[in-house]
Amino acid sequence: MVRLFAGLFGVTLAVGCGGSMTADAHMNAELNGQGRSDLEAEGSAEGEGGPAPASRPLTKEEAERAHKASFAETAKPEEPYALFGARHDFEVTDASSAVACACVSALLGPPSSGKLKWQGEQPHTKPEAQLVVALVPNDAGCTSGSGGASYWGYRVEGNDVVVLLEEWKAGRPRTLGAIVPKPPPSGQVYLAPVAAKLPFGKAAAGGGARCGVGNPGPKRIDGWPPDALVPSGDTAPDAAVSEDTDK
């Protein structure tokens, strides 16, 4: 599996003892939709004979701010991005736009493309940094490699991502998809066999060693190579080749 870095962020709030009563007053006021300027205005009004803050009802503007603050307090944390690597939890429902390569075709895009049916919850990916590759085998038209194609891993070559295919062995789950890094604008995703003697993922015509399947979606804005990306997880990436060991 690709191993990833994850950052842990902490926030430390220090309040001095001498100003604790003043600080508490300001924090409580802000939780109820009042800012520092509101408190200062109230203090001035009280000194001029106006009502004390405790006895004065909230204005409409203050009540609205307090209402919004109550929702902000209960907001759900942001959903983490899916990990790179093999996926066994979908099936292809529309392969009409799949790119044909030797012994296999490939769909490339976001998990929400409408061309995949997910068995459970659809993975949450970062569109400008992650792509789903879905394999559509053509075992009947493959003259060699009797087991058919199965995802093995991927590697980064310059600005390109090369998805490597192996021959599927009976008794092992067949892996027909993965989440891979989205290349920068000057690169694209390719299919290729993990061993030169295998036919899977070579060019459909012309005998090329690999088959280009594109680079759809928004322009990548994250750093490159992709080990600089932190979608989720807490471990460091492996070397150039990523092999999944859970198949």
Side-chain angles (χ1 to χ4, degrees), residues 119-221:
Q119 295 174 8
E121 185 176 353
Q122 179 178 289
H124 176 54
T125 59
K126 193 172 186 179
E128 67 273 20
Q130 294 177 292
L131 289 168
V132 174
V133 57
L135 304 176
V136 183
N138 179 21
D139 297 343
C142 196
T143 56
S144 59
S146 58
S150 182
Y151 170 83
W152 183 85
Y154 70 85
R155 69 168 174 258
V156 174
E157 295 184 1
N159 287 335
D160 300 322
V161 174
V162 182
V163 176
L164 300 168
L165 308 181
E166 65 175 348
E167 182 179 358
W168 175 53
K169 303 292 185 182
R172 298 178 61 186
R174 190 173 188 178
T175 305
L176 296 177
I179 294 177
V180 301
K182 176 177 172 58
S186 59
Q188 70 166 313
V189 176
Y190 289 89
L191 300 188
V194 70
K197 64 181 180 180
L198 296 174
F200 315 118
K202 291 182 178 180
R210 60 186 188 176
C211 179
V213 294
N215 185 10
K219 178 181 177 180
R220 184 185 180 96
I221 58 176

Side-chain angles (χ1 to χ4, degrees), residues 28-135:
N28 289 330
E30 288 170 0
L31 283 175
N32 287 283
Q34 290 180 268
R36 185 178 298 272
S37 59
D38 296 323
L39 289 176
E40 292 171 349
E42 287 171 2
S44 175
E46 185 177 4
E48 296 172 0
S55 62
R56 181 180 65 77
L58 293 176
T59 66
K60 181 180 178 180
E61 181 181 354
E62 290 167 349
E64 289 177 352
R65 289 205 302 266
H67 180 69
K68 291 178 181 178
S70 66
F71 280 96
E73 288 291 314
T74 58
K76 293 183 179 179
E78 185 178 352
E79 183 182 356
Y81 295 120
L83 293 169
F84 292 120
R87 303 292 301 207
H88 302 90
D89 54 347
F90 72 86
E91 60 180 281
V92 175
T93 57
D94 179 5
S96 59
S97 60
V99 177
C101 301
C103 301
V104 66
S105 297
L107 283 169
L108 195 63
S112 58
S113 65
K115 300 177 181 180
L116 307 175
K117 180 181 178 181
W118 295 91
Q119 295 174 8
E121 185 176 353
Q122 179 178 289
H124 176 54
T125 59
K126 193 172 186 179
E128 67 273 20
Q130 294 177 292
L131 289 168
V132 174
V133 57
L135 304 176

